[in-house]
Amino acid sequence: MMWLGKNGDNDRPHSGEEGADQFETERLRMVEDQIRRRDVRDPRVLRAMETVPRHRFVLPEDVPYAYNDNPLPIGYGQTISQPYIVALMTELLKLEPGHRVLEIGTGSGYQAAVLSELAREVFTIEYLEQLGTSARRRLRSLGYDNVRVRIGDGYEGWPDAAPFDAVIVTAAPESVPQSLVDQLVDGGRMAIPVGTHFQELYCMVKEGKDITSEKVANVRFVPMVGEGND
Ligand code: SAH
């Protein structure tokens, strides 16, 4: 049955559900033009990007621009990343359905929702209480039940839930926090932007005591604040 609720409950965030929300056409075009046509080809990642209702994660005045090829403000001086960067970083993690993943920098909760489509459990940490609280509420109302949001300092990671199969950092530290490397499983992968004014996105793979890292792209993220930079 087609149910058009007055309060936005006509959105259909989950892969299993049928029907199209009014933004589906824009979302499919976003994936084709901005993501697949560039270089992200993992079908599960593309499917997740086609599924998550990005317009539910932006400020009300930005809803018309939710599927544009750029980052958008989410309040408190923070931004939701450009869709392509979300897809690229997600692909680097090579997530499997049984995986547990840690995100640093919940922001709007959008990246966490994309991860939630691909992994078993998502743990995400946000430094700013207002953003963390609203992301938690938003994710719950959209039915992303496998995401846990913690308000805190991501430099410490989430020791009581570690180890993780993958870690994704969506604010830029000056160097890779050792605690996050420690909380990866052997073979675990991390996508992380590093730097101050100029930043590079790294893909790291933990191999026993060693860690390999590969530069993927030049990026621009908000700085990671808290312990590590004090
Ligand atoms: N992934 C988010 C966008 C992240 S913006 C999304 O999909 O919307 C970066 C976020 O990192 C901001 O919300 C900022 O408050 C947060 N942040 C910055 N430093 C942090 C830290 N030390 N620990 C946790 N979160 C941090």
Side-chain angles (χ1 to χ4, degrees):
M1 185 181 99
M2 186 69 172
W3 173 257
L4 290 170
K6 288 196 183 76
N7 47 8
D9 50 0
N10 53 327
D11 290 312
R12 293 167 203 279
H14 295 297
S15 8
E17 294 179 31
E18 284 182 359
D21 65 62
Q22 59 182 103
F23 292 95
E24 189 177 27
T25 311
E26 286 189 57
R27 199 156 52 238
L28 297 179
R29 192 178 306 133
M30 169 190 86
V31 171
E32 177 57 27
D33 295 354
Q34 304 171 28
I35 299 173
R36 204 197 66 77
R37 197 168 290 169
R38 284 202 177 103
D39 55 2
V40 175
R41 299 288 158 81
D42 181 332
R44 294 184 69 234
V45 173
L46 297 176
R47 184 78 196 102
M49 297 295 296
E50 286 172 355
T51 304
V52 178
R54 183 170 163 96
H55 61 282
R56 299 292 296 272
F57 293 83
V58 303
L59 298 174
E61 60 267 33
D62 287 326
V63 166
Y65 316 113
Y67 296 97
N68 288 7
D69 194 13
N70 48 259
L72 287 168
I74 53 172
Y76 310 95
Q78 308 303 323
T79 55
I80 178 175
S81 302
Q82 178 190 11
Y84 170 67
I85 295 294
V86 173
L88 176 64
M89 291 178 77
T90 305
E91 185 178 55
L92 293 174
L93 302 179
K94 297 196 196 296
L95 292 173
E96 293 170 16
H99 278 176
R100 299 164 72 253
V101 51
L102 173 66
E103 179 193 26
I104 308 302
T106 315
S108 67
Y110 176 69
Q111 173 76 71
V114 171
L115 299 171
S116 143
E117 296 276 350
L118 297 166
R120 180 158 63 88
E121 274 183 295
V122 181
F123 298 82
T124 180
I125 306 177
E126 172 53 49
Y127 193 76
L128 297 176
E129 185 170 0
Q130 296 94 327
L131 282 176
T133 303
S134 65
R136 183 187 288 135
R137 196 180 313 122
R138 175 181 293 124
L139 288 162
R140 192 179 304 146
S141 78
L142 291 170
Y144 292 104
D145 297 330
N146 60 342
V147 182
R148 288 175 62 191
V149 181
R150 174 179 277 187
I151 315 287
D153 184 352
Y155 275 101
E156 290 158 24
W158 195 317
D160 38 318
F164 301 98
D165 300 288
V167 172
I168 178 170
V169 183
T170 65
E174 287 180 27
S175 60
V176 178
Q178 184 59 39
S179 57
L180 300 182
V181 176
D182 293 344
Q183 290 176 30
L184 271 179
V185 300
D186 195 10
R189 303 171 71 84
M190 172 156 33
I192 181 169
V194 181
T196 48
H197 198 67
F198 297 99
Q199 300 158 9
E200 270 158 340
L201 174 62
Y202 285 88
C203 176
M204 311 181 72
V205 183
K206 184 167 170 178
E207 287 165 358
K209 288 198 187 76
D210 295 330
I211 184 126
T212 62
S213 78
E214 188 195 334
K215 277 184 204 170
V216 178
N218 296 313
V219 288
R220 195 118 187 232
F221 278 82
V222 298
M224 191 160 158
V225 296
E227 275 295 300
N229 284 349
D230 283 348

